[in-house]
Amino acid sequence: MSGPRIAVVLKGYPRLSETFIAQEILALERRGLAIDIWSLRKPTDRFRHPMHAAVSARVAYLPEYLRDDPRRVLRGLAWACRRPRFAALIRLFLRDLRRDPTASRLRRLGQALVLAREVDPAVSHLHVHFLHTPGSVVRYTSLLTGRGWSFSAHAKDIWTTPAWELSEKLAAADWGVTCTRDGLARLDALAPGRTRLAYHGLDLGRFPDPPAMRPARDGSDPVAPLRLLCVGRLVAKKGHDDLFAALAALPAGLHWRLALIGGGELRSKLQTLAQEHGLGDRVAFRGALPQPDIIAAMREADLFVLPTKPAPGGDRDGLPNVLMEAASQELPILATAFAGTPEFIDDGVHGVLVPPGEPEALARALQALAAEPERRHRLGRAARHRLVQDFSEAAGITLIAGRLAASAGIILTAREEAA
């Protein structure tokens, strides 16, 4: 495709846990934007979602570690030394290094040198997902090449990046968006008015209609146990430890099974924890799965549970996309009143919310919802209505596509703008 292009930079692509990024890129392409994807690391997931195959953007990988491809890094350095902005880049890098004296900081500079040299000359704008390490690579590249840049901030990058670094990146970027009011408040406190709210939403065209009916299982029959589903990476902020504690507190007469979808660093610890709670034979660790398998699991389940909470290092969720996916299938939701979740779910209307980090409250809600299949049905229908009315993909994509096109000097036709 001729004309200006946009380089979208992210930490890893494609990733099963970041469907919202692939969904956004695909939607931007349908609006007429020409995109190149630059990833700081190669994927490690065994599967890919169908939408990854639908994305036509060219994908290039930077050396994850500088030792992986020192020739590319040295060619980038030699090229950069001849650029008029190189001295300004080094001054900025050294200032950052004094405040963050880590190998990661040096790695981001090396990746920026490679990106700056190798990016297509037709690229007129840089856009980065996540303000932490990917944001550093793009900021350095922008300074060296003179290209403008923008950002999409999400969750971990907002809450674990030091305030000094966030403030400087917000000031340096042309513009940015974030996907929750919770995150927007944090960024606005550091740099008022620099960031806009753009919910990811959901492209409902990719999802089947919800099941016509669900069995009225209430956990009283051991032959037909209540089917619980939790989808999320096996990391601390997803609250799986609280979920296991809550399940262990349920009465013996309540029969249930939990399908746990997601891969991550805590798998072995959580498997041990499940055994310690006496839950081992009722919890199925299914690993990371492609989206069609996840939707199939949602159609078979009776209740979706996601008890997110703050992680010890400050990491936290935004608005988990998987909640909207559950709502697309009218699957009732039990979650925590934390981060961006209450922006989508009103407690008692679109689902049930309990305080984060309180397994006892989670257990009480589980027991109550198990006994009320008709209430679950009403909550599931209300969540889908909320999704369709207020969280479609179109509004956020219209905002982002318009800003990207203006920044890149791309003129969209009326048909492309309405795609």
Side-chain angles (χ1 to χ4, degrees):
M1 187 179 297
S2 60
R5 304 183 67 83
I6 298 164
V8 174
V9 182
L10 29 74
K11 193 166 186 179
Y13 181 88
R15 298 184 70 183
L16 287 176
S17 61
E18 294 176 355
T19 57
F20 58 93
I21 292 179
Q23 173 183 273
E24 179 178 299
I25 291 172
L26 184 58
L28 292 173
E29 287 185 333
R30 289 172 175 167
R31 299 286 179 114
L33 300 179
I35 291 174
D36 294 339
I37 296 173
W38 286 84
S39 175
L40 275 59
R41 60 173 58 166
K42 292 186 176 178
T44 57
D45 295 326
R46 292 187 300 144
F47 304 106
R48 293 191 179 193
H49 294 308
M51 78 180 85
H52 290 135
V55 170
S56 61
R58 303 178 300 205
V59 183
Y61 294 95
L62 298 170
E64 181 174 354
Y65 296 97
L66 304 188
R67 64 175 181 270
D68 294 343
D69 200 339
R71 291 184 179 180
R72 282 178 78 191
V73 177
L74 290 174
R75 286 196 293 267
L77 177 60
W79 179 89
C81 287
R82 300 191 295 272
R83 307 272 75 78
R85 295 169 176 263
F86 181 67
L89 169 62
I90 294 304
R91 286 194 297 270
L92 171 62
F93 168 72
L94 291 176
R95 189 168 76 242
D96 288 347
L97 187 64
R98 283 194 295 270
R99 294 174 291 186
D100 175 33
T102 63
S104 174
R105 181 63 59 177
L106 180 62
R107 190 156 65 244
R108 303 314 160 203
L109 175 64
Q111 289 175 320
L113 297 177
V114 173
L115 176 59
R117 176 180 176 271
E118 296 182 7
V119 69
D120 190 325
V123 166
S124 54
H125 185 74
L126 308 169
H127 185 74
V128 64
H129 280 276
F130 298 103
L131 268 174
H132 53 332
T133 50
S136 295
V137 174
V138 168
R139 186 186 180 196
Y140 295 156
T141 304
S142 168
L143 180 56
L144 182 59
T145 66
R147 291 178 173 90
W149 70 284
S150 53
F151 64 85
S152 289
H154 298 291
K156 181 178 182 178
D157 54 324
I158 297 173
W159 301 104
T160 64
T161 304
W164 65 265
E165 187 170 357
L166 281 178
S167 298
E168 292 185 8
K169 287 175 177 175
L170 291 169
D174 294 345
W175 56 272
V177 296
T178 191
C179 52
T180 66
R181 293 190 182 279
D182 188 46
L184 180 63
R186 159 79 169 159
L187 297 178
D188 267 352
L190 296 170
R194 299 291 295 169
T195 311
R196 296 278 298 277
L197 176 66
Y199 288 116
H200 298 306
L202 209 63
D203 177 7
L204 289 171
R206 295 189 294 104
F207 294 85
D209 290 336
M213 61 176 296
R214 293 182 186 273
R217 287 183 283 254
D218 62 5
S220 61
D221 185 355
V223 179
L226 188 73
R227 296 186 181 184
L228 307 175
L229 176 64
C230 180
V231 181
R233 288 185 301 124
L234 305 183
V235 294
K237 66 181 179 180
K238 299 298 183 180
H240 297 104
D241 54 343
D242 291 343
L243 176 56
F244 289 174
L247 292 172
L250 295 176
L254 178 56
H255 304 283
W256 56 267
R257 294 291 184 273
L258 170 67
L260 190 57
I261 296 177
E265 61 200 39
L266 296 182
R267 176 164 182 153
S268 60
K269 289 184 178 180
L270 289 171
Q271 287 174 321
T272 299
L273 184 61
Q275 293 292 340
E276 291 173 352
H277 279 300
L279 310 175
D281 60 338
R282 291 185 284 178
V283 177
F285 286 80
R286 298 185 58 186
L289 296 176
Q291 194 167 59
D293 292 355
I294 294 173
I295 298 304
M298 288 177 170
R299 294 172 69 83
E300 297 170 357
D302 299 310
L303 181 63
F304 187 85
V305 189
L306 189 66
T308 60
K309 63 179 180 179
D315 189 12
R316 58 198 290 177
D317 258 331
L319 171 52
N321 232 49
V322 72
L323 295 177
M324 288 181 277
E325 293 173 1
S328 79
Q329 301 306 300
E330 294 187 356
L331 178 60
I333 296 167
L334 170 58
T336 47
F338 179 65
T341 297
E343 297 175 40
F344 177 54
I345 297 173
D346 289 336
D347 180 33
V349 178
H350 312 111
V352 172
L353 301 182
V354 298
E358 295 190 15
E360 300 86 357
L362 187 62
R364 289 193 298 270
L366 275 168
Q367 187 172 353
L369 286 168
E372 298 181 275
E374 181 53 36
R375 182 186 178 207
R376 298 200 307 265
H377 180 59
R378 291 196 304 271
L379 293 172
R381 283 192 302 175
R384 179 175 169 79
H385 182 74
R386 169 80 160 146
L387 173 66
V388 172
Q389 291 294 112
D390 302 316
F391 282 84
S392 68
E393 177 194 43
I397 291 298
T398 297
L399 169 63
I400 295 169
R403 297 299 297 270
L404 284 174
S407 296
I410 298 172
I411 299 175
L412 300 179
T413 65
R415 181 178 178 182
E416 288 169 338
E417 288 179 343

